[in-house]
Amino acid sequence: MQLKGKTAIVTGSNSGIGLGVARELARAGADVVLNSYTDSEEDHALAAGIGSEFGVSARYVKADLSKAEEARALVETAGACDILVNNAGIQHVAPIDEFPVAKWDAIIAINLNSAFHTTAVALPMMRKAGWGRVVNIASAHGLTASPYKSAYVAAKHGIVGMTKVVALETAEEPITANAICPGYVLTPLVEAQIPDTMKEYGMSREDVIKNVMLQRQPSKEFATVEEIGGTAVFLCSEAARQITGTTISVDGGWTAL
Ligand code: NAD
C-alpha cells in the first residue's frame, strides 16, 4: 500500500497498457482516474470495478486528448494529481510521402501534445502537494526508428525529450519525470492483429508472434501490461527518488541490438 493517499491520473486507460498501469497503481494503493475519449457505461463500470477490487477511489473522466482544452480540463476535473501517467496513443503506418496530414496531426496531438498540456496543469498540483511523479509511456520507438512510422517515431522521440526537460525543471523538488519505453506488449490492439497475420502468411500463431511480430524483440516474448504497470509503480516508489530524466526500456532486448 505504498501509494495510499496518492491520486494517479492515467490517460488512455480504458484498455491495454493504460488500464494495466491503472490497475497496478491501484493495487499499490493509489486512487486512480481513468480516461479515454468515450463516455460509456462500460468506461464508468471499469473504474468502479477497480475501486472495489483494490479498495481505492477510482473514477472515469472523459476527455478527448486530441484537443488541448480537454487535456487540460482532465487534470483540472481530477482536482488532484500526484502521479501523472501520459499513456494515450494511436498509430498509423504509411510511407512519409503518402502519410495523411490528418493522421500526422492526430498522432502528434494525442501522443505528444496532450502530455505537454496535462503536465503543465499537473506540475503546480504536485508542487502544492510536495511530491509528484510524471511517468510517460513512450516506446522503443522513442529511442529507435522503423520505416513508415514517421509521426509515431517523431512523437515518441519528442516525449522522451520533453521528459528530460520536465526532470530538469523539477530537479531540486521532490518530483521526478521518466519515460517507460516498451517494446511489443500484448494488448487487445496487438492481439487482434494475430489472426489476420496468420492468414496472410499461412503461419501458426506461434510463428506469427515469433517471426513476424517479435522479429526485433530478442526475447521473442511480448512484455505484459502488468510488467509495464509494475515498472510505473517502481518509478513511483521511494527507491526511485533519484531516478529522473531517463528512460527505462521494457523491450526484451530490442534496443540492445
Ligand atoms: P490501446 O489502443 O489499447 O490503448 C490506447 C488508449 O489510448 C486507449 O485507452 C484509447 O482509448 C486511448 N486514446 C486513443 N485516442 C484517444 C484520445 N483522442 N483521447 C483520449 N484517449 C485516447 O493501445 P496500447 O497498446 O495499450 O497503447 C498505449 C500506449 O502504449 C500508447 O502510447 C502506445 O504508443 C504505447 N506503446 C504500446 C506498445 C504495444 O506494443 N502495445 C508498445 C510501445 C508503446
Side-chain angles (χ1 to χ4, degrees), residues 47 52 59 79 81 102 109 208 218 234:
S52 53
R59 63 193 170 119
C81 184
V208 163
F234 166 66

Side-chain angles (χ1 to χ4, degrees), residues 28-247:
D31 297 326
V32 291
V33 177
L34 270 64
N35 151 265
S36 184
Y37 58 90
T38 50
D39 202 10
S40 67
E41 266 176 39
E42 292 79 37
D43 292 328
H44 292 273
L46 204 53
I50 290 178
S52 53
E53 185 176 349
F54 299 111
V56 297
S57 153
R59 63 193 170 119
Y60 178 87
V61 177
K62 182 244 168 198
D64 179 351
L65 300 180
S66 64
K67 301 186 172 97
E69 58 286 1
E70 291 198 30
R72 286 173 180 260
L74 165 63
V75 184
E76 281 155 11
T77 305
C81 184
D82 304 298
I83 298 164
L84 173 65
V85 182
N86 288 303
N87 166 78
I90 59 166
Q91 174 66 286
H92 184 80
V93 180
I96 198 158
D97 51 329
E98 293 168 18
F99 211 92
V101 173
K103 289 283 183 202
W104 173 277
D105 289 344
I107 290 172
I108 301 297
I110 296 165
N111 298 22
L112 177 60
N113 295 352
S114 74
F116 157 66
H117 296 299
T118 55
T119 305
V121 181
L123 277 184
M125 293 178 176
M126 292 176 182
R127 288 186 169 125
K128 205 167 156 206
W131 190 90
R133 295 285 185 267
V134 179
V135 179
N136 293 324
I137 306 300
S139 167
H141 283 115
L143 304 168
T144 62
S146 295
Y148 314 126
K149 295 185 176 174
S150 54
Y152 189 84
V153 169
K156 294 298 186 183
H157 275 68
I159 203 162
V160 167
M162 195 184 73
T163 304
K164 295 178 187 176
V165 174
V166 175
L168 293 179
E169 291 186 12
T170 58
E172 293 185 34
E173 302 174 80
I175 297 172
T176 68
N178 294 288
I180 298 175
C181 293
Y184 267 105
V185 183
L186 192 53
T187 61
L189 196 86
V190 174
E191 179 71 53
Q193 295 166 24
I194 297 175
D196 283 349
T197 318
M198 284 168 66
K199 251 188 237 157
E200 194 181 325
Y201 290 93
M203 281 180 174
S204 67
R205 178 183 163 87
E206 289 64 37
D207 281 345
V208 163
I209 290 173
K210 201 172 162 190
N211 300 321
V212 181
M213 294 188 138
L214 298 178
Q215 198 203 347
R216 291 178 74 180
Q217 198 145 306
S219 67
K220 302 295 179 203
E221 280 185 34
F222 289 110
T224 66
V225 299
E226 290 79 12
E227 289 160 358
I228 308 300
T231 307
V233 170
F234 166 66
L235 287 172
C236 293
S237 72
E238 284 309 292
R241 206 174 54 89
Q242 288 296 323
I243 301 177
T244 195
T246 194
T247 56

